Amino acid sequence: MTDLRFTHEPDASRYTLHRGDDLVSVLDYRDDGRTVVLTRAYTVPTFRGNGYAGELVDRAVAHLERRGGRTVVPMCWYVADWFEANPGRRGILHERRSA
């Protein structure tokens, strides 16, 4: 997946993945300054089945880890499944406290 271009578009609250000139996958989020809620991972139907969503989530989480100062809430089922499959990356997850 070396011909992929990852971008962060903070004005649109999203991360994107392009293959050449084609947008292949989008990861939307909400950021309150402390917590980033990953709300939706979407891959353009013609590009599904190639691992693009997983690659995008991996790169977005790496970006957030490098940036620091934020925890992540995986609101999207795909992102939650990605964290289940990548337990070594769970350190960035927001911990819910029980009452």
Side-chain angles (χ1 to χ4, degrees), residues 60-88:
V61 169
H63 175 262
L64 290 165
E65 288 169 335
R66 281 190 309 273
R67 184 175 166 193
R70 302 227 180 355
T71 58
V72 169
V73 174
M75 182 72 64
C76 169
W77 68 267
Y78 183 88
V79 177
D81 285 355
W82 183 90
F83 274 105
E84 285 295 316
N86 295 276

Side-chain angles (χ1 to χ4, degrees), residues 8-99:
H8 179 214
E9 300 175 2
D11 292 340
S13 298
R14 71 182 195 167
Y15 293 98
T16 63
L17 195 65
H18 291 79
R19 187 181 77 184
D21 292 332
D22 296 318
L23 174 66
V24 296
S25 197
V26 175
L27 178 60
D28 295 319
Y29 68 85
R30 290 188 324 259
D31 183 349
D32 69 6
R34 293 178 314 236
T35 305
V36 176
V37 180
L38 300 176
T39 59
R40 181 182 76 124
Y42 176 80
T43 299
V44 175
T46 56
F47 295 106
R48 290 181 182 161
N50 294 296
Y52 294 130
E55 182 70 19
L56 177 58
V57 172
D58 182 65
R59 293 183 188 200
V61 169
H63 175 262
L64 290 165
E65 288 169 335
R66 281 190 309 273
R67 184 175 166 193
R70 302 227 180 355
T71 58
V72 169
V73 174
M75 182 72 64
C76 169
W77 68 267
Y78 183 88
V79 177
D81 285 355
W82 183 90
F83 274 105
E84 285 295 316
N86 295 276
R89 305 293 290 281
R90 292 185 195 159
I92 197 168
L93 290 177
H94 179 76
E95 291 188 28
R96 293 186 180 160
R97 299 203 170 125
S98 45

